[in-house]
Each structure stands twice: as structure tokens, then as C-alpha cells.
Amino acid sequence: MVIVSVALVLGGTAWWSLSTWNDPFRDLALDVRPAERGRLLFTIVEKGELEAARNTDIVCKVRAGGRGSTVSSTIKWVIDDGSRVRKGDIVVRLDDSGLREAYLNQQGIVAEKRNLLIQAEKDREIVLSQNRSELQAAENNVKLAELNLKKYLEGDLQQKRKDIDGRITLAEANLMQWREKALWSSRMVKKGYISASQAQSDEANLRSAEINLEMLREEKRVLDFYERQLNILDLQNKLAQAQEALNVARIQAKAKEAQADAKYQAAVSVLRQEEAKLADLEEDIRNCTIAAPNDGMVVYYVPEQSRFGAGSVQSIIAVGEPVREGQKLMRIPDLRHMQVRVKIHESLVPRLRADVIRSTGFGSLLYAACAVGLRSLTDLPSFLTAPEVRDQYSDLEEEIVEYGLPAQVQVASLDRPLEGHVKMVSAVASSTDWMSADVKVYQTVVAIDEQVEGLKPGMSAVVTIFVEELEDVLRIPVHAVFESGGQRFCYVKTQSGIEKRRLTTGLNNNMFVEIRDGSELRDGELVVQNARSLAERLGDLHATGAGEETSRRGLGKTRAPNGKGQTPARAGKANGALSDAAAPAGGRPADASDGSPRDGSPNKFSGQNKKPPSPEEAERRKQMFQQMLEKFKSASPAERKAMIEQMPVPDEVKQRIRDNLRKQGLEIPD
């Protein structure tokens, strides 16, 4: 009996020990779920605000009050935020009292400068008249000097020379007479007919006639050798002086005219400047009354930094607040096309895909068909570049736009999510707020593809971006995975107990984790969902530091980009580790069976990211394409080449057009 009792005791102890090893923490309720194959959907959920895709900005066009100051005026009256307006309605009145006072003062300045201009113009006319008079006098002096020189050479000198020659001839004749008379007197004295005194008188007259002749001859010599040269030099000098005086008069006239012109132009410039200031003040006064450029709803403009409390008081739109030159005051959005601006953490940005414009040959041909169908070939180049043509046929751009990732937008006022897509991802990062300046996020715009009444800018919205989807993959719940020593594991419940299995994971969301080839887990095995609690009991969390933090990121609360604790639905990594994205829009969890949204929305990753045209639109484009082909067929090869070369499309598109036309049997020179 003792041996039997001891055996019973020892056997019970062994059984208790074995059962305790298989289930060491019987007080811990193990929640198991089979590993199964299904759909895995990876999404990103962020909150944002609605805004219009197209906005008409109302900007303060009143110029700043002075140098070094940016303030232009203050708000005197402003329409209420959110008010409906029609085109031409007054939305803002700025204080223009100071501008009107400055306008009156400027009018006086303009009148004064206009009088100065008139005076400068009169002075200029006087200077021009004086210049003409002085130049005429100087030119006349030159002509007089020339005439005096010519008169002396051809008139006075010749006349005086002839006069001397005549007197010399007369003196010579007189001398001959006195010589004969003196000889006669000498003979008569000898004969005694006359007295000696009478003969002496005749002899004296002879000598006088000789002296007179000599004097005349000397006078002629002085005229020819001295007086003539002196007079010529004097007259030539006077001519030269007159000519120099004419040159000086011309230079002085030009200088005076240039000076008068400079004063006149300066007066004109000053008047224009003052008139421009007057026109600017008049324009500023008009700009103090701002009207709505189109119908819509008024939305006060709030800078991005002001939304986080970093804006200045100058950004406030209210009565009495100052406004700056060029400051955006409000917007009139186009409520037919709305979008949501969200901020995506930098770790998730590589997974995003925004709109991409691709040049396709068919789209370019359609665009060319629109132009060719409306204008002749000679007008094609100018017509293709006309802005109104691009605006009129902008819908053809849909053919060359590859849309970004699909998305859903949930607005609180609507009972269903709205379809949309990622339109733009900013290339420059921005900080979230001042408390987490080291965290980088990227502005992302999600366009709403539907037109819904009742949407207003500023409404809160939850955006769900459908990033990636996997079909028929082995998956287990997120909380069934824990990390230790840089490796990921899970617990599997078998008939013999709990077993630890190493995993190779892939894509994950807030519900499931993809199990890839190379893992020790198999389809259908039961995995423990509260794996971390069991790992803590078993002491399997040996890793610390980076590995422990990674485990926390994957299976528990994560540290959000802003430094605050948040659920895995708000965080993520771009490397495919245990980074968690959010559920579909509106907070609806993914279906437990396949991860697809419960609202029955279609597969978001079918690859059909281009909007197909309607049958009517397709028929219209087909007709336009045929019309374009007819135009090309009727053109000469040189005209076809010129048409293609002048199309505003890339070179590769032009080459596709050439190839397509050559397939139609049309000749196009290289």
C-alpha cells in the first residue's frame, strides 16, 4: 500500500508538472485564431479640411503707405465670413480717408508741376527764337566780311589803282609840257624876249611837276606793296572772326537749346511722375472698395501658419485691422470642385502616387484634330498656342493624365464616403507644429471626384488613401506577432501545447500581417492573438533598445509623429515592417474575412486609374480624329511636316504622330 501511495503521489506530481509546462499560465485566457489566406488592404487615414480646388483670391491692391512700411490701410467694413455673394457685390471696404487727403494734395502738386512745364516750354521757345536771331546775325556778319574782302579786291583796290594811274599819266603829260616850256623860256631868255625871272618860274614849275610825278609813283608803290596787303589781311581777319563768331553762335545755340530741352524734359518727367502718383492714389481709392469678381461664397483667408497659432495679427480679417499690400483677404471658392489637404508622415510618402501627366500620341492627335478642324493649316501654329483653345479643349487632357492613388473622403455631414484620388504630393516637407519641429510631414492634396451639394471649405474630413492591396496571402492578426532580438515570432497552439514560430512578415495594416515564404507558420494553424502578454509571461522578450521599440511600434501603442501616443492606425513605416495604416474612411473597420471595406466599394487597385470617356465623347473624338486625318491627307508633305513640327507637344509624341500618319500611307519628309 505504501508503494502504491508513493507511486500515485509521484505520478500526480509528474502530471501536474507536465501540464504546468504546457500551460504555465492557466489564469491567462488565450485567444486563438487560425492563420488563413485572404485579402490584405493597406490604407492611410488622415484628417484634413475641405477646400476648393479652384479659388478666386481677393487681394489687397492698395499700395503701402510709405517707405519701410507694409501697411496700406485698415478694414472699414467687411462682409461676414461664409456669405453668399454675386458678381459685383461689395465684400470689403478699406479706409480711404488718408488716401483722399493725399489725392487732394497731389492734385495741387500736379497743377504746380504743369505750370512749371508750361514755363519750361515757353523758355524753350524763347531760347530757340534767340538762337535763330543770333545765328542769323552771325551768318550775316560772315557774308558782310566776305563781301568787303571781295569789294576791296575787285572794286576799291582796282579803282584806287586806276585813279593813281590816271593821275600819273596826267602828271607825266604836265611834266612834258613844263619841260618844253622850260626849254622855250631858256631860249627866249637868251634871245631877250622874256626875263630871267620868268624862265626861273617855268623851271620851278618843271621841278614841281617832276616831284608830283614821283609822289604819284610812290603812292602807287605803297598801294601795291603795303596798303593792298594790309587791307587784304584786315578784311580776311574780319572774315575769319565772323566765321568763328558764327561757329561759337552755333555751339552756344546748341548748348542753350539742349539746356532748354533738358529743363523741358525734366519738367515733363516730373509732371508725369506726379501724375502717376495721382493716378496711383486714384487707383488706390478705387481699390479700397473691393467687389466680388464672380458668384460664390466668401471665405476669409487664413495663412497656413496661423492655423497653428503662429500667424501675426496682420492676418486677422476684421473691422479696424490693418492690411498689407498684396495680402490675401478672402477667397471665393468654386464649390463644384472640392479637395482635401492633409499631412502625410514622411515614412509613408514613398508609398504615395499622385497625378502624372503622360504625353500620348492619341491624345496629342486629338488635340491637333480640334485645332485643324476649326482653322486652316496656315493658322494652325498660332491657333494651337492660343489660351482659349486650351481652355475650350482642356477635357482632352484626361487622355494623358494618369490619376494618383484612389481615396475616399468622409465628411461628417454626409452618410457615405466620397470617391477621390491623390492629386498632388508636395516635394518639400513641412513641420507639423512647433512642439514637434523635428517631425516632417508632406502636404498632400486629395481631389474629390464627385460634385456634391452642401460641401463648404473648412469642413473636417477624414481621408482614406488606398495604397496597396494583396490578394490570397497568408495573414494573421497584428497582435499575434511580437518581436524579440530583431526577429518576429508568433505562438501556435497545438495538441502538445504552445509552440513558438519564427516569421517573415510583409505588408500589414491595423488588423492583419502578411506572412511570407520562409516562415515557420502554416495555413490553418491556430495562432495566439494576445502574443505579447504570453511572451512577457514566458520571458521571450529578451531584446531591448531598438528591437524592443520596434516591437512596441508593431504590436502596441505607437509614438505618433507629433510625439504623442496614438494607436497604430495613425503611424507607419515605408519599409514594409509592422507599420500600421488606418481602416477605410469613416472609421469603418475592414471586414474580418478579407480586409475589404464593408460598404461594398469596388476593388481600388484594379489599375484603371484613367476615366474612360462617355460614348458620346468617344464618338465626338473619333469624328475629330477622322477630320484631322482628312486635313493631313489634303496637305502637301511639306505642310504635314510643318504642322507636326509646330505642334506644342514633346518630340517623342511628334514621332508617334509621324509613324501613325505614315501607317496611313501619308508621306512626311524627315
Side-chain angles (χ1 to χ4, degrees):
M1 291 293 295
V2 173
I3 295 174
V4 174
S5 299
V6 171
L8 291 174
V9 170
L10 292 176
T13 303
W15 175 86
W16 181 85
S17 300
L18 181 61
S19 63
T20 302
W21 183 85
N22 286 330
D23 192 6
F25 303 103
R26 287 176 293 175
D27 60 323
L28 180 64
L30 297 180
D31 184 13
V32 296
R33 180 189 178 101
E36 59 183 0
R37 306 191 74 84
R39 178 185 298 175
L40 190 62
L41 182 65
F42 179 62
T43 60
I44 300 175
V45 174
E46 288 292 345
K47 292 182 178 180
E49 292 183 356
L50 286 179
E51 63 180 27
R54 302 172 184 173
N55 294 286
T56 303
D57 292 332
I58 295 179
V59 182
C60 175
K61 297 182 180 179
V62 180
R63 296 168 180 82
R67 179 174 297 178
S69 174
T70 59
V71 177
S72 56
S73 183
T74 57
I75 298 176
K76 187 176 181 180
W77 175 86
V78 62
I79 196 171
D80 294 334
D81 193 10
S83 301
R84 293 277 183 173
V85 294
R86 299 185 65 85
K87 182 178 180 180
D89 291 347
I90 305 301
V91 294
V92 179
R93 292 186 187 274
L94 303 179
D95 186 10
D96 60 353
S97 57
L99 293 173
R100 292 187 179 277
E101 182 178 357
Y103 181 78
L104 295 176
N105 294 334
Q106 189 63 27
Q107 282 183 325
I109 295 175
V110 169
E112 179 183 354
K113 300 304 180 183
R114 186 173 287 112
N115 292 333
L116 292 177
L117 175 62
I118 294 174
Q119 183 63 38
E121 185 177 6
K122 296 299 182 182
D123 292 342
R124 180 170 173 268
E125 292 178 358
I126 293 173
V127 168
L128 293 177
S129 178
Q130 290 178 347
N131 288 341
R132 287 193 296 269
S133 177
E134 292 176 357
L135 286 175
Q136 187 65 36
E139 291 174 354
N140 292 336
N141 290 335
V142 172
K143 291 179 180 180
L144 289 175
E146 291 176 347
L147 290 175
N148 286 332
L149 177 60
K150 186 176 182 181
K151 173 176 173 292
Y152 177 75
L153 293 175
E154 298 178 1
D156 294 346
L157 179 60
Q158 298 299 329
Q159 182 181 2
K160 195 169 185 180
R161 181 179 289 121
K162 290 178 179 179
D163 179 64
I164 294 175
D165 289 341
R167 286 185 291 156
I168 290 175
T169 301
L170 183 62
E172 289 177 348
N174 191 26
L175 178 61
M176 291 177 64
Q177 291 178 359
W178 286 113
R179 280 179 181 173
E180 292 178 356
K181 190 174 183 179
L183 291 175
W184 179 80
S185 297
S186 175
R187 291 195 303 267
M188 292 297 106
V189 169
K190 290 179 180 181
K191 293 180 178 183
Y193 295 129
I194 61 175
S195 62
S197 58
Q198 188 175 357
Q200 291 177 356
S201 176
D202 291 337
E203 187 68 25
N205 288 330
L206 176 61
R207 289 195 207 94
S208 176
E210 291 176 350
I211 293 172
N212 185 34
L213 179 60
E214 290 296 329
M215 289 178 62
L216 291 175
R217 289 176 176 173
E218 182 65 20
E219 182 180 357
K220 183 178 180 181
R221 187 183 70 83
V222 171
L223 175 63
D224 290 335
F225 290 97
Y226 298 104
E227 184 178 350
R228 172 178 171 273
Q229 295 182 13
L230 287 176
N231 290 332
I232 291 175
L233 289 176
D234 181 57
L235 293 174
Q236 288 178 343
N237 184 41
K238 290 180 179 179
L239 176 59
Q241 290 180 355
Q243 291 175 341
E244 186 64 25
L246 176 60
N247 293 332
V248 172
R250 288 173 177 172
I251 295 175
Q252 290 179 346
K254 291 181 178 179
K256 292 178 181 180
E257 183 177 356
Q259 186 177 6
D261 286 338
K263 290 182 179 180
Y264 175 77
Q265 294 299 332
V268 171
S269 177
V270 171
L271 178 60
R272 288 177 178 174
Q273 291 178 4
E274 299 301 332
E275 287 178 342
K277 292 179 181 179
L278 184 65
D280 290 343
L281 289 172
E282 186 176 1
E283 184 180 2
D284 287 341
I285 293 174
R286 289 197 305 268
N287 291 334
C288 284
T289 302
I290 304 176
N294 54 269
D295 299 348
M297 182 180 67
V298 173
V299 178
Y300 288 177
Y301 177 77
V302 180
E304 186 70 21
Q305 62 271 19
S306 298
R307 300 183 182 183
F308 301 99
S312 62
V313 294
Q314 294 179 344
S315 300
I316 300 176
I317 307 301
V319 175
E321 292 296 331
V323 293
R324 304 184 309 275
E325 179 182 355
Q327 177 183 344
K328 292 182 180 180
L329 302 177
M330 54 188 64
R331 286 177 171 175
I332 300 181
D334 183 0
L335 301 181
R336 297 173 300 174
H337 304 280
M338 302 296 289
Q339 64 186 23
V340 183
R341 189 178 298 272
V342 295
K343 294 183 178 181
I344 304 297
H345 190 264
E346 59 183 336
S347 62
L348 299 175
V349 169
R351 293 180 177 268
L352 297 179
R353 186 179 73 252
D355 289 351
V356 178
I357 299 179
R358 303 290 186 186
S359 296
T360 62
F362 186 70
S364 301
L365 286 174
L366 284 175
Y367 178 70
C370 296
V372 175
L374 293 174
R375 295 291 180 93
S376 63
L377 295 178
T378 56
D379 296 333
L380 178 60
S382 60
F383 186 76
L384 285 175
T385 57
E388 60 271 14
V389 176
R390 289 187 177 273
D391 295 339
Q392 184 177 359
Y393 298 101
S394 60
D395 59 320
L396 296 180
E397 296 297 328
E398 295 176 356
E399 291 292 327
I400 62 174
V401 175
E402 292 184 3
Y403 290 90
L405 292 176
Q408 285 184 345
V409 179
Q410 182 65 56
V411 183
S413 61
L414 300 179
D415 57 355
R416 67 175 182 87
L418 302 176
E419 297 298 326
H421 68 278
V422 178
K423 181 179 180 181
M424 183 274 296
V425 179
S426 176
V428 180
S430 59
S431 300
T432 53
D433 53 42
W434 63 273
M435 297 180 62
S436 56
D438 58 334
V439 177
K440 296 296 185 296
V441 292
Y442 285 77
Q443 295 278 352
T444 302
V445 175
V446 176
I448 299 177
D449 298 334
E450 304 180 44
Q451 292 187 13
V452 181
E453 296 291 337
L455 297 182
K456 297 181 180 180
M459 283 185 171
S460 299
V462 178
V463 174
T464 302
I465 302 175
F466 299 93
V467 180
E468 191 172 355
E469 183 181 29
L470 299 176
E471 295 286 351
D472 193 26
V473 296
L474 183 61
R475 63 183 188 178
I476 62 175
V478 170
H479 297 289
V481 181
F482 70 94
E483 188 170 342
S484 177
Q487 296 288 330
R488 292 184 176 83
F489 302 91
C490 72
Y491 291 112
V492 176
K493 185 176 182 180
T494 64
Q495 293 180 355
S496 59
I498 302 298
E499 298 181 3
K500 180 180 177 182
R501 303 286 180 84
R502 187 171 64 245
L503 302 176
T504 300
T505 61
L507 185 66
N508 67 91
N509 56 24
N510 64 321
M511 297 186 63
F512 297 102
V513 180
E514 176 192 3
I515 306 301
R516 294 184 174 178
D517 296 339
S519 302
E520 298 176 351
L521 181 65
R522 298 294 177 265
D523 188 6
E525 292 184 315
L526 298 177
V527 295
V528 179
Q529 297 198 76
N530 52 345
R532 186 177 179 84
S533 300
L534 183 57
E536 290 177 351
R537 295 290 184 91
L538 295 176
D540 285 342
L541 299 178
H542 301 302
T544 59
E548 179 69 9
E549 184 63 22
T550 305
S551 177
R552 291 176 183 174
R553 283 199 304 269
L555 299 175
K557 288 260 184 177
T558 183
R559 190 168 185 82
N562 59 6
K564 302 176 183 179
Q566 67 178 28
T567 61
R570 303 293 293 173
K573 293 173 62 179
N575 56 7
L578 285 176
S579 57
D580 299 330
R588 297 185 179 92
D591 185 77
S593 61
D594 59 1
S596 60
R598 289 185 176 180
D599 57 4
S601 59
N603 185 0
K604 299 292 181 181
F605 300 90
S606 61
Q608 298 176 356
N609 56 356
K610 295 184 180 180
K611 294 183 178 179
S614 62
E616 296 80 6
E617 179 66 16
E619 182 63 25
R620 183 178 70 89
R621 295 181 182 182
K622 181 179 179 181
Q623 293 177 359
M624 296 168 67
F625 183 72
Q626 292 298 330
Q627 185 180 8
M628 182 205 66
L629 288 178
E630 294 299 327
K631 291 290 184 181
F632 272 107
K633 290 179 181 179
S634 62
S636 65
E639 289 176 334
R640 297 185 194 121
K641 180 180 179 181
M643 285 176 56
I644 297 174
E645 291 296 331
Q646 294 167 349
M647 287 182 180
V649 294
D651 292 338
E652 61 270 14
V653 177
K654 295 179 181 178
Q655 187 58 41
R656 291 198 200 119
I657 295 175
R658 295 188 190 95
D659 296 339
N660 291 336
L661 292 176
R662 284 167 180 165
K663 291 178 181 179
Q664 299 291 331
L666 300 179
E667 179 185 356
I668 299 177
D670 293 329

